[in-house]
């Protein structure tokens, strides 16, 4: 078993999943402001410390994805975040893309940037204890969207990112997110997700990415949030598994879903329903952001007296997702 394969397997096995705590400074700041917390560097640190010090986190969380700011911060006990996670038996990951920008030629669509200097950044993070990385591409469903341009540009960037990570010893989490925003049906989401994943795996093979040393982080196949459609849990599970079966090679060790704006409970139910299919070659787990930490942030609201209650809420979500597996 290669070192990359071992890390990838650790991330997705033993009923554990990944916690995405890598919101950019801008996104994290606006989430803090929404709950009445001043968006300072110190408050972002305090909030991330609350998350990683949640008791028994390592029973259901195999890895935590950090943002660059957090990666270099220390907890009150003087340990850096990667060191502290390592103490707990949790792998430390790092978001290495630098965000999604308007795509020239299709400015209403996005291309994720961050390839320049990535080899050196990967080496730096690896030295400081990262074992895996993340890069998120975003694609929208709408009139003539996603365009072939947007799909091709994004899967190309994902494959080059994945290759650079593997060269530097980090397992790439490969995240092609087809957004839930829009009025599209479940069937349209399945069709677009299938076609994006097909292009992605062609490009990963072209770039000689070792497929047993990645974790795929896709969207679940759901109806658009503005569609008025509320597909049954079993239908979402079936549509998602069908899209994956049609496109994801068996050598990929695991698939860890993003939550994408689904309610925490719904995301967990969908994950649970997907475990009922026989003979799937990959582990199916979670790499949720909002669906894991959202309720905890709402509970905490910057009140240190609510710290323990917030950790209990996070723990309950993590345990529920582990149980769903
Ligand atoms: P959500 O689960 O909130 O969609 O976030 C996952 C993630 O890491 C997005 O890049």
């Amino acid at each position: 078993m290669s070192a990359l394969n071992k890390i990838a397997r650790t991330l997705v096995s033993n009923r554990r999943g990944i916690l995405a705590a890598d919101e950019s400074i801008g996104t994290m700041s606006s989430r803090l402001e929404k709950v009445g917390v001043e968006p300072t560097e110190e408050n972002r640190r305090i909030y991330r410390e609350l998350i990683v010090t949640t008791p028994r986190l390592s029973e259901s969380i195999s890895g935590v994805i950090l943002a660059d700011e957090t990666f270099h911060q220390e907890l009150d006990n003087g340990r850096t975040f990667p060191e502290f996670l390592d103490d707990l038996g949790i792998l430390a990951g790092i978001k290495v893309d630098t965000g999604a920008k308007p795509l020239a030629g299709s400015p209403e669509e996005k291309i994720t940037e961050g390839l320049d200097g990535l080899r050196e950044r990967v080496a730096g993070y690896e030295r400081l204890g990262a074992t895996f990385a993340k890069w998120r591409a975003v694609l929208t469903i709408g009139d003539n969207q996603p365009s072939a341009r947007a799909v091709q540009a994004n899967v190309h960037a994902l494959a080059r990112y994945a290759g650079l990570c593997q060269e530097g010893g980090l397992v790439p989490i490969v995240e092609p997110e087809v957004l839930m925003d829009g009025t599209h049906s479940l069937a349209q989401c399945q069709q677009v997700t299938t076609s994006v994943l097909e292009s992605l795996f062609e490009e990963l093979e072209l770039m000689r990415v070792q497929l047993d040393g990645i974790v795929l982080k896709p969207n679940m196949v759901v109806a658009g949030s503005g569609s008025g459609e509320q597909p049954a849990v079993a239908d979402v599970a079936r549509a998602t598994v069908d899209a994956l079966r049609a496109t994801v090679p068996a050598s990929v060790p695991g698939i860890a879903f993003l939550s994408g704006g689904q309610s925490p409970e719904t995301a967990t139910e969908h994950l649970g329903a997907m475990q009922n299919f026989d003979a799937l070659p990959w582990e199916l787990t979670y790499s949720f952001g909002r669906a894991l930490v959202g309720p905890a942030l709402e509970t905490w609201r910057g009140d240190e007296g609510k710290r323990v209650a917030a950790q209990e809420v996070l723990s309950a979500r993590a345990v529920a997702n582990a149980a769903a597996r």
Side-chain angles (χ1 to χ4, degrees), residues 20 22 134 136 175 217 258-260 287-290:
D22 62 325
K134 180 189 115 172
R136 170 177 179 252
E175 180 175 4
K217 175 163 175 168
L258 59 94
S259 60
S287 177
F288 296 160
R290 287 163 286 177

Side-chain angles (χ1 to χ4, degrees), residues 65-317:
I65 316 171
L66 302 169
D68 178 74
E69 180 183 70
T70 319
F71 197 86
H72 296 101
Q73 286 173 328
E74 289 176 2
L75 285 81
D76 287 341
N77 66 10
R79 302 289 277 162
T80 67
F81 278 77
E83 286 166 352
F84 182 74
L85 290 170
D86 186 56
D87 296 343
L88 296 178
I90 296 178
L91 298 176
I94 177 73
K95 187 245 300 289
V96 297
D97 69 64
T98 55
K101 311 283 160 54
L103 174 66
S106 260
E108 65 289 358
E109 296 187 282
K110 299 272 175 66
I111 175 69
T112 300
E113 297 189 343
L115 288 172
D116 287 355
L118 182 55
R119 176 177 278 125
E120 292 72 26
R121 288 193 291 130
V122 163
Y125 290 129
E126 199 269 341
R127 267 197 304 278
L128 292 174
T131 56
F132 71 102
K134 180 189 115 172
W135 178 292
R136 170 177 179 252
V138 284
L139 294 154
T140 36
I141 303 181
D143 286 342
N144 301 314
Q145 287 180 16
S147 67
R149 271 179 308 285
V151 173
Q152 204 180 320
N154 276 290
V155 298
H156 176 78
L158 275 167
R160 287 190 48 209
Y161 139 81
L164 282 165
C165 284
Q166 290 190 335
E167 182 192 277
L170 301 187
V171 165
I173 294 194
V174 177
E175 180 175 4
E177 177 173 6
V178 177
L179 293 176
M180 208 163 106
D181 306 344
T183 55
H184 51 274
S185 63
L186 182 76
Q188 279 171 298
C189 182
Q190 181 177 343
Q191 187 266 319
V192 171
T193 301
T194 305
S195 131
V196 167
L197 291 174
E198 207 165 61
S199 304
L200 173 67
F201 281 98
E202 273 173 24
E203 197 73 12
L204 290 171
E205 304 229 7
L206 182 69
M207 294 293 164
R208 299 189 163 159
V209 173
Q210 188 187 319
L211 294 184
D212 70 356
I214 72 166
V215 172
L216 177 69
K217 175 163 175 168
N219 51 286
M220 295 183 188
V221 172
V222 294
S225 49
S227 68
E229 224 184 291
Q230 284 287 2
V233 169
D235 293 338
V236 167
R238 156 75 56 196
T240 304
V241 166
D242 282 352
L244 298 172
R245 270 186 174 141
T247 55
V248 185
S251 52
V252 172
I255 297 172
F257 294 100
L258 59 94
S259 60
Q262 303 178 74
S263 78
E265 294 75 17
T266 306
T268 307
E269 279 178 44
H270 287 156
L271 178 69
M274 282 183 239
Q275 311 295 325
N276 298 329
F277 292 81
D278 288 334
L280 299 179
W282 350 263
E283 301 274 354
L284 291 183
T285 190
Y286 43 95
S287 177
F288 296 160
R290 287 163 286 177
L292 275 169
V293 300
L297 181 58
E298 284 288 334
T299 303
W300 177 56
R301 301 187 151 264
D303 177 353
E304 278 310 286
K306 296 274 172 60
R307 185 184 184 84
V308 170
Q311 289 183 326
E312 280 167 3
V313 170
L314 168 56
S315 190
R317 287 309 334 142

Side-chain angles (χ1 to χ4, degrees), residues 32 38-49 69 73-74 76 300:
L32 287 177
E38 200 193 335
T40 61
E41 181 175 341
E42 176 60 4
N43 282 338
R44 290 190 294 273
R45 190 197 69 78
I46 290 171
Y47 167 66
R48 261 69 178 253
E49 173 154 350
E69 180 183 70
Q73 286 173 328
E74 289 176 2
D76 287 341
W300 177 56

Side-chain angles (χ1 to χ4, degrees), residues 3-13 91 171 212-215 253-254:
L4 291 171
N5 180 248
K6 190 158 173 256
I7 295 166
R9 289 195 175 282
T10 303
L11 283 170
V12 298
S13 313
L91 298 176
V171 165
D212 70 356
I214 72 166
V215 172

